[in-house]
Amino acid sequence: MKLGEMTTDVVVIGAGQAGLSATFHLQRRGIDHITLDAAEEPGGAWLERWDTLTVDRVNGIFGLPLFHPPELDPQEKASVAVPAYFADFERAAGLNVIRPARVLSVRRSGDEFVVDSTVGRVRAKAVINATGTWDTPLRADYPGQSSFAGRQIHTRDYTGPDEFAGMRVGIVGAGISALQHLDEISRVAETFWYTRREPDFRDHFDGREVERRVAENVERGEPARSVVSYTGLFAGADYVAAARERGALNRRDMFREIVPEGVVEADGTLTRLNALVWATGFRPSLSHLEPLGLVNDRGGIAVDGTQVVAEPMVHLIGFGPSQSTVGANRAGREAAVKLRRALENVT
């Protein structure tokens, strides 16, 4: 579907949790806006989560503004339950999201932004970017990797443990996804867990302190890091306990290289593997913003809250301190409030 050229005050790019929050708060404040979402239907990246990720493992962290999630079956697939909740929110709030509409580029043209997408061009006074990280997996580039004769996937491609039944599987990573993969795959296969450094298990963490540290990092223009790199891993999670009880939570130092039949361990011995699962994280999906020249020489983007320091009419949400799902809701409101003030000054 082509819509031709459109004009608005604010264009919101992405309609996952952060984007829906921004759209909701823009609408409440009567700000003219257009929301573009690349997906075919509501749900954002939740639509593509693996089938064995169930509601009980996402801890209710997907709540949207003033719209409490319904009682959900703990064993229902998150990829079904969460998108259904997002769709209900869109209907209840009367949000108008244009989809599927993938944004190709955003550039400056005088005092406005030109947003080119698969459905047409949008001219806007401001941009709220909420494209998350799911479409930009950080794929490993390791010595000998291309020679490996077995199966290799990233978390982005993971669909569940069944395809690894009876295999010897190396799992690389020290984040939540790595541990959930380890728990599931170790039920059907022999697993070997590799990390670059000792995992940081904690009994609790201070959410406000974490957000403060993340905010300081991005305000300095440092490259965005994962939330887990600040919070550590929750030692009491059910998947951690299950993997430990099964004897799977035995970390190995990162291997030296990959060979056709497996990996060469840090001590020089060979471990034969049939598959490698790279749970190596994601990076912000911002390639469409490249024409704006926001990235500094360190590979980061300096922001003040949600506002890009170098381009104040651009707000990044679901980025930096608002990567967390709780932070995403607050970020959507913050961006809408700041832009209302800015637009009043412009007009």
Side-chain angles (χ1 to χ4, degrees):
M1 177 178 65
K2 285 285 187 179
L3 300 177
E5 186 161 303
M6 300 167 279
T7 302
T8 188
D9 284 338
V10 182
V11 60
V12 180
I13 305 172
Q17 185 177 22
L20 287 181
S21 174
T23 301
F24 173 80
H25 286 292
L26 290 170
Q27 178 171 283
R28 289 191 83 193
R29 288 158 178 78
I31 300 171
D32 189 45
H33 64 279
I34 291 171
T35 299
L36 305 175
D37 187 46
E40 295 276 348
E41 57 190 290
W46 290 102
L47 290 163
E48 300 188 61
R49 294 298 199 266
W50 52 96
D51 286 348
T52 48
L53 181 64
T54 48
V55 168
D56 61 331
R57 289 198 166 188
V58 298
N59 303 316
I61 57 176
F62 46 82
L64 289 160
L66 306 180
F67 195 71
H68 293 295
E71 289 295 325
L72 300 175
D73 178 356
Q75 297 306 307
E76 187 174 3
K77 296 176 184 178
S79 60
V80 174
V82 179
Y85 164 66
F86 280 19
D88 287 345
F89 175 77
E90 286 188 28
R91 285 192 292 269
L95 304 184
N96 181 24
V97 178
I98 299 172
R99 59 167 62 91
R102 180 172 295 279
V103 170
L104 306 174
S105 69
V106 181
R107 59 184 173 85
R108 262 280 187 191
S109 178
D111 60 356
E112 66 181 4
F113 295 94
V114 177
V115 180
D116 285 314
S117 78
T118 53
V119 298
R121 174 170 288 176
V122 181
R123 295 184 179 274
K125 298 173 184 175
V127 175
I128 296 178
N129 190 83
T131 45
T133 63
W134 187 252
D135 289 331
T136 314
L138 182 59
R139 298 188 184 274
D141 182 13
Y142 216 78
Q145 186 172 0
S146 62
S147 73
F148 185 57
R151 173 106 163 99
Q152 289 191 72
I153 66 165
H154 185 276
T155 292
R156 179 71 171 76
D157 313 305
Y158 181 73
T159 59
D162 291 350
E163 68 168 297
F164 302 106
M167 293 185 180
R168 293 166 59 89
V169 183
I171 299 171
V172 182
I176 294 172
S177 294
L179 288 171
Q180 290 183 343
H181 299 341
L182 182 66
D183 171 35
E184 293 185 353
I185 296 172
S186 65
R187 297 171 187 266
V188 299
E190 186 176 3
T191 54
F192 304 82
W193 179 33
Y194 299 94
T195 70
R196 292 186 181 277
R197 58 187 64 87
E198 195 71 36
D200 181 13
F201 286 102
R202 304 182 189 181
D203 293 327
H204 67 278
F205 62 89
D206 183 338
R208 290 185 180 276
E209 173 62 14
V210 168
E211 286 198 15
R212 182 190 67 78
R213 289 168 56 205
V214 178
E216 287 180 351
N217 186 70
V218 295
E219 284 170 7
R220 292 193 301 267
E222 299 295 334
R225 290 159 42 196
S226 70
V227 172
V228 172
S229 68
Y230 297 92
T231 63
L233 298 161
F234 180 44
D238 61 348
Y239 48 85
V240 173
R244 181 179 290 113
E245 289 173 7
R246 203 174 298 113
L249 205 66
N250 295 317
R251 169 195 173 268
R252 296 183 174 207
D253 288 332
M254 198 61 188
F255 40 79
R256 292 183 187 177
E257 64 175 317
I258 302 172
V259 293
E261 61 269 38
V263 297
V264 178
E265 299 280 359
D267 63 5
T269 59
L270 172 68
T271 295
R272 295 182 180 277
L273 297 174
N274 305 110
L276 279 167
V277 177
W278 298 90
T280 44
F282 298 80
R283 290 293 179 267
S285 299
L286 302 175
S287 61
H288 53 287
L289 300 182
E290 286 180 3
L292 296 177
L294 306 179
V295 179
N296 59 33
D297 56 5
R298 288 167 290 172
I301 300 175
V303 296
D304 178 7
T306 63
Q307 190 174 43
V308 176
V309 173
E311 189 66 87
M313 295 301 278
V314 175
H315 287 250
L316 304 182
I317 60 178
F319 175 87
S322 63
Q323 285 182 74
S324 70
T325 48
V326 174
N329 280 344
R330 290 200 298 268
R333 181 183 182 279
E334 179 184 340
V337 169
K338 286 186 174 181
L339 284 176
R340 179 179 64 178
R341 295 172 186 157
L343 289 167
E344 287 172 351
N345 292 331
V346 169
T347 55

